[in-house]
């Protein structure tokens, strides 16, 4: 199904957040995930279902002022 | 020197410093250590698939053993800022958020209307908000009404190094909000600018570019540490008021050849 990940349209097979991170080969340990502008806590990645048209943001710590 | 309080946490350093724009990760760490800062600002950005940029940066920050103040830099709407704050809480495990809602790309002028709205939403959600705002007293009062115990007016636009451009307004904020922790955030270029902010009674300053873009960031971090300490010490010592005319410092009585004009 087609979703938007970090602003880019992608076709994915994963049906849940944790599966999506595996499918996209996210290897780091410090991410946070937002699904349609709502934060999905790490404890709920395995149970949170995705659907076509979802907007997913995957973010990490970065330099800031 | 007295300590400074940010919400329920007390610190001895009155300098908050950013983690961006340094020539190298090593210089970033050395400069932050030299600044004596106990609070650093960080941001959140999109991570590319497979990337470990976030992990690498985060381990550098954790080695410093400092408190982390995440920002919402780059957010232009209340919705973006609120979601970014919630992501920061999830990622960094802190209720602190440096709240930025930006109105204009060229000046990075805060959108103070959106800022007040976002601050109220976040305070109600349990956040401890550090709003980046202009020097406008009305806006600062609205932020305090919304539940902000820290308010951070700019000295000048972010990264401009112009120093305090509206001293009278900053002084007024200090006078009218004596119980709020006030931080001059953005626009400082020299340690003397930081000293001026502390002399006005500001509780702390937050800066990044002036250190990171100096020819020697580590030495400049130390200079800002000294500037902040000098400014605060002077404030606590009690500065004399300015006056319009001269007043001799050398005693007049006993001046040779002096005689009263008859």
């Amino acid at each position: 199904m087609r979703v938007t990940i970090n602003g880019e349209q992608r076709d994915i097979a994963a049906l849940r957040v944790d599966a999506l991170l595996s499918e996209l080969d996210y290897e780091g340990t410090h991410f946070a995930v937002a699904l349609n502008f709502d934060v999905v806590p790490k404890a709920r990645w395995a149970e949170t279902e995705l659907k076509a048209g979802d907007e997913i943001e995957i973010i990490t710590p970065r330099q800031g002022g | 020197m007295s300590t400074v309080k940010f919400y329920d946490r007390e610190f001895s350093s009155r300098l908050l410093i950013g983690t961006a724009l340094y020539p190298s990760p090593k210089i970033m760490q050395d400069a932050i250590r030299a600044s004596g800062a106990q609070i650093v600002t960080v941001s959140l950005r999109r991570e590319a698939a497979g990337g470990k940029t976030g992990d690498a940066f985060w381990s550098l920050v954790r080695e410093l053993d400092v408190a982390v103040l995440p920002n919402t830099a780059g957010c232009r709407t209340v919705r973006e800022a609120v979601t970014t704050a919630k992501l920061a809480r999830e990622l960094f495990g802190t209720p602190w958020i440096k709240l930025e809602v930006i109105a204009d790309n060229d000046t990075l002028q805060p959108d103070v209307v959106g800022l007040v709205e976002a601050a109220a939403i976040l305070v109600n959600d349990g956040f401890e908000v550090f709003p980046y705002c202009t020097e406008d007293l009305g806006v600062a009062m609205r932020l305090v009404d919304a539940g902000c115990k820290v308010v951070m007016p700019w000295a000048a636009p972010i990264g401009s190094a112009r120093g305090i451009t509206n001293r009278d307004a900053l002084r007024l904020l200090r006078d009218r909000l004596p119980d709020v922790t006030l931080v001059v955030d953005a626009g400082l270029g020299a340690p003397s600018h930081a000293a001026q902010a502390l002399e006005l009674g500001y509780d702390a300053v937050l800066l990044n570019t002036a250190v990171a873009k100096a020819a020697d960031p580590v030495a400049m971090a130390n200079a800002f540490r000294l500037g902040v300490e000098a400014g605060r010490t002077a404030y606590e010592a009690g500065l004399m008021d300015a006056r319009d005319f001269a007043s001799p410092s050398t005693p007049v009585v006993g001046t040779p050849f002096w005689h009263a004009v008859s």
Side-chain angles (χ1 to χ4, degrees):
Chain A
M1 63 183 166
R2 176 149 283 214
V3 296
T4 303
I5 300 168
N6 286 350
E8 288 183 21
Q9 297 236 320
R10 298 280 294 263
D11 285 308
I12 60 166
L15 299 174
R16 290 185 171 78
V17 170
D18 63 340
L20 175 67
L21 293 171
S22 301
E23 181 180 333
L24 297 176
D25 295 324
Y26 273 88
E27 292 175 351
T29 53
H30 290 88
F31 313 120
V33 176
L35 177 59
N36 302 324
F37 280 83
D38 280 324
V39 177
V40 184
K42 198 167 191 171
R44 296 217 310 266
W45 287 358
E47 67 193 47
T48 302
E49 295 181 0
L50 302 172
K51 61 181 187 312
D54 276 346
E55 285 185 43
I56 300 145
E57 295 280 335
I58 303 167
I59 61 96
T60 57
R62 210 54 60 88
Q63 294 83 349
Chain B
M1 249 183 2
S2 60
T3 57
V4 58
K5 204 168 179 184
F6 295 99
Y7 289 87
D8 293 327
R9 301 177 68 180
E10 276 193 49
F11 297 86
S12 54
S13 169
R14 293 173 177 273
L15 174 56
L16 289 69
I17 196 162
T19 54
L21 303 174
Y22 295 89
S24 74
K26 169 86 164 65
I27 292 174
M28 177 195 82
Q29 284 188 319
D30 290 347
I32 292 170
R33 288 193 181 103
S35 76
Q38 295 164 312
I39 301 170
V40 300
T41 52
V42 296
S43 73
L44 310 172
R45 287 294 178 260
R46 288 168 166 169
E47 181 74 290
K52 289 185 177 178
T53 315
D55 278 16
F57 169 67
W58 186 228
S59 60
L60 288 172
V61 172
R62 288 206 299 192
E63 285 172 17
L64 293 166
D65 193 27
V66 288
V68 170
L69 175 60
N71 69 28
T72 65
C75 290
R76 297 182 57 92
T77 66
V78 172
R79 190 187 195 203
E80 287 169 11
V82 168
T83 302
T84 301
K86 290 177 179 176
L87 284 166
R89 181 167 63 181
E90 167 78 4
L91 197 53
F92 297 108
T94 175
W96 282 9
I97 191 74
K98 175 183 165 179
L99 183 62
E100 300 182 39
V101 185
I102 298 301
D104 176 54
N105 281 342
D106 288 335
T107 59
L108 299 179
Q109 169 110 10
D111 169 3
V112 294
V113 176
L115 184 70
V116 171
E117 186 184 339
I121 292 168
L122 291 170
V123 168
N124 286 334
D125 198 7
F127 280 90
E128 295 177 348
V129 179
F130 296 55
Y132 161 65
C133 58
T134 62
E135 73 279 22
D136 185 275
L137 174 63
V139 169
M141 292 173 76
R142 294 290 295 269
L143 290 165
V144 172
D145 288 346
C148 297
K149 293 181 178 174
V150 177
V151 172
M152 305 205 294
W154 64 355
I158 294 172
S160 69
R162 294 177 62 199
I164 292 171
T165 54
N166 194 347
R167 179 186 168 87
D168 289 346
L170 288 183
R171 184 195 293 276
L172 185 66
L173 276 188
R174 180 69 288 175
D175 288 346
R176 298 296 295 151
L177 302 172
D179 301 324
V180 176
T181 299
L182 290 179
V183 181
V184 168
D185 175 12
L188 301 180
S192 56
H193 300 158
Q196 285 167 14
L198 274 292
E199 287 167 7
L200 283 173
Y202 275 70
D203 295 286
V205 295
L206 196 169
L207 55 97
N208 189 156
T209 312
V211 167
K213 290 296 186 187
D216 182 344
V218 180
M220 189 59 78
N222 188 46
F224 269 98
R225 179 181 64 79
L226 295 168
V228 166
E229 287 181 9
R232 180 64 192 185
T233 305
Y235 174 73
E236 291 182 6
L239 291 143
M240 67 172 280
D241 292 328
R243 15 183 207 211
D244 291 333
F245 295 100
S247 173
S249 46
T250 303
V252 174
V253 175
T255 306
F257 315 116
W258 181 85
H259 55 88
V261 176
S262 56

